[in-house]
Amino acid sequence: MMLRISLIISFSLPFVLFAQNNHDTLPALLLKRVIVPFRQSQPPLSSLPDQSRGIIYAGKKTEQILPDSLSANKALDNSRIILGRVPGLIISETETGGFTANGIGIRGLNPVQSMEMNTRQNGYNISGDVFGYNESYYLPPLEAVSRIELVTGAASLQFGPQFGGLVNYILKEPPTYTLLEFHTSETTGSYGLFNTLNSLGGRIGKWSYYTYGQWRSIKGWRPNSRQWQFNGYGKIQFDPSKNLHLSLEYTAQRNRVKMPGGLTDSMFKADPRASLRSRNWLSSPWNILSATVTDSLSAHTYFKLQSTFLHGRRNLVWRNEDGGPEALDTLDPTTGQYIPREVEAEHM
C-alpha cells in the first residue's frame, strides 16, 4: 500500500507593472515577440542518436529511458520498474540487504552493485574506483533523473574498462522560463516507508541553478532491516554566451543501513522473514564535486572539459561468518562474550 502526493509551484517576475482606475485609458503597449515551440513527445524507451555532445554512438547498442514518461513508482528507486524494460538487462535488488544501491548487468554479467558497468552521473564517474573497486554505492534518486543512457559492450572503449558497458544518469536541468520553481513530492507506504524529495530551480539573467534534497526511511519487511538515506545535489551554471556554458555541481549522500542476514538458502525458503543478525550496520557517506566547461564552437565542433573529485567511504560493522550464516549472533557460552565483529573503514 502506498500514497504519493506531488506539488509544483512556479514564480516569475512580471514584465509590466502599472496602476489604473476606471477613468484611465490604457496606453499602447508593444509586447515582445513570443515563440512557443512545439516538441513532439518522445517514447519512454528509444535509442541514442548517432552523435550527441561530441560523443559518437553510431554502431553501438544503445538505449535511452525517460523515467517521467513511464507509469512507475520512482520514489523507491526500483531499478526493476525503470530499467527492466531494456532487453538483456539483469537486475540485482540488494538495497535492503546491505548494499546501498541496486545493481544492473548485461547478458549474464554480475549485476551486484553494477560492478561490470561503468556508472556515471551527468557524464562523470560516481563509483568508488574506475578500475579495481568500481562497485556503485551511490545512485541518484530516480525522481530527479530526466533520462538514463545505456551503451553496452563497446562503451568501455571510451568510458572505462568495464566490459558490460555504460549507464549514465542525466539529472534534470534548471528551468529556464522562471525565476523560481519549487517541487515537492511526498510518498508514504507500508513497513514504515517515508520518502520526500524537494527541489528548487530557476534562472536569473545569465545564471541558472538547480538543487534538491531527498530523505527516505523504511523499517523493512523483516526484523533488523531498517535504514535511512539522504541525497543532496546542487548545480549552478553561468552562460556568458549562447554556446558557452560553465557549471559547478556537488552531490552528497549520507545513510545508515541495518542488515538482517544470517540465513542459508534452505532457511530462507522455510521462512524468508527470519533474521539472525541484529548488529550488522553499514554507512557509505559520498561526496562528488564536478566542474564542467562546454562550448559549441561550430556546427561540427564541440568542446567539453570536465574535472571531477570524489571522496567516499564505506563503514562496515558485522558479524564474521565463521561457522556459517546460520550461526546465531549471541554470547559465546565459553567466554561470555560476543563473537568478534568485523570492522571496516575504507576511504575512496
Side-chain angles (χ1 to χ4, degrees), residues 31 37 40 56 65 74 78 92 97 100 133 169 188 191 200 203 205 239 244 265 270 278 293 344:
L31 299 177
Q40 187 175 4
I56 299 176
I65 304 174
K74 299 183 288 293
N78 195 322
S92 174
T100 57
Y133 196 77
Y169 297 88
T188 183
Y191 305 108
L200 285 172
R203 186 175 184 88
D239 304 324
L244 180 60
D265 290 344
S278 61
V293 179
E344 299 179 12

Side-chain angles (χ1 to χ4, degrees), residues 61-318:
K61 182 65 174 68
T62 66
E63 304 284 355
Q64 180 176 240
I65 304 174
L66 304 178
D68 286 345
S69 298
L70 296 173
S71 178
N73 173 27
K74 299 183 288 293
L76 290 179
D77 294 338
N78 195 322
S79 303
R80 171 172 46 85
I81 298 177
I82 305 297
L83 298 175
R85 304 166 187 264
V86 178
L89 194 74
I90 304 172
I91 300 172
S92 174
E93 296 181 352
T94 56
E95 186 176 15
T96 57
F99 297 112
T100 57
N102 295 324
I104 62 173
I106 295 292
R107 294 182 177 88
L109 297 178
N110 191 346
V112 177
Q113 292 183 274
S114 304
M115 62 176 58
E116 306 292 356
M117 302 289 295
N118 188 281
T119 309
R120 300 200 170 207
Q121 171 183 284
N122 291 344
Y124 50 83
N125 185 68
I126 58 175
S127 58
D129 188 347
V130 177
F131 292 95
Y133 196 77
N134 53 287
E135 291 90 343
S136 177
Y137 281 85
Y138 158 77
L139 289 178
L142 291 176
E143 290 178 292
V145 174
S146 63
R147 70 180 185 276
I148 304 173
E149 301 174 348
L150 285 102
V151 185
T152 60
S156 60
L157 297 177
Q158 179 162 349
F159 297 104
Q162 289 77 32
F163 49 85
L166 162 79
V167 54
N168 186 23
Y169 297 88
I170 305 297
L171 300 182
K172 295 180 179 179
E173 291 291 330
T176 59
Y177 54 83
T178 182
L179 176 69
L180 172 65
E181 181 180 273
F182 171 72
H183 172 262
T184 181
S185 176
E186 317 295 328
T187 305
T188 183
S190 304
Y191 305 108
L193 169 67
F194 176 70
N195 179 88
T196 176
L197 186 138
N198 301 276
S199 66
L200 285 172
R203 186 175 184 88
I204 306 175
K206 296 183 178 181
W207 294 87
S208 59
Y209 65 95
Y210 177 74
T211 181
Y212 69 76
Q214 182 212 32
W215 169 271
R216 185 177 65 213
S217 61
I218 188 172
K219 294 180 180 179
W221 58 277
R222 60 176 172 164
N224 306 315
S225 60
R226 67 179 183 268
Q227 62 173 295
W228 63 262
Q229 177 174 294
F230 170 79
N231 283 325
Y233 170 83
K235 176 180 180 179
I236 185 170
Q237 180 170 308
F238 177 61
D239 304 324
S241 65
K242 181 180 180 181
N243 297 325
L244 180 60
H245 310 285
L246 298 86
S247 63
L248 183 66
E249 304 175 33
Y250 172 67
T251 304
Q253 174 183 265
R254 301 294 183 268
N255 61 358
R256 181 173 294 176
V257 182
K258 189 173 186 180
M259 302 176 287
L263 298 181
T264 62
D265 290 344
S266 59
M267 296 169 66
F268 181 83
K269 184 178 180 180
D271 184 8
R273 294 183 180 273
S275 172
L276 304 181
R277 299 288 180 265
S278 61
R279 300 184 297 146
N280 290 0
W281 295 91
L282 171 72
S283 68
S284 54
W286 224 249
N287 302 274
I288 309 171
L289 184 65
S290 178
T292 306
V293 179
T294 61
D295 193 356
S296 301
L297 301 176
S298 69
H300 304 285
T301 305
Y302 180 82
F303 171 81
K304 181 177 181 179
L305 176 63
Q306 192 169 60
S307 179
T308 307
F309 171 77
L310 187 152
H311 176 67
R313 295 177 60 186
R314 187 182 78 154
N315 304 319
L316 181 66
V317 179
W318 61 1

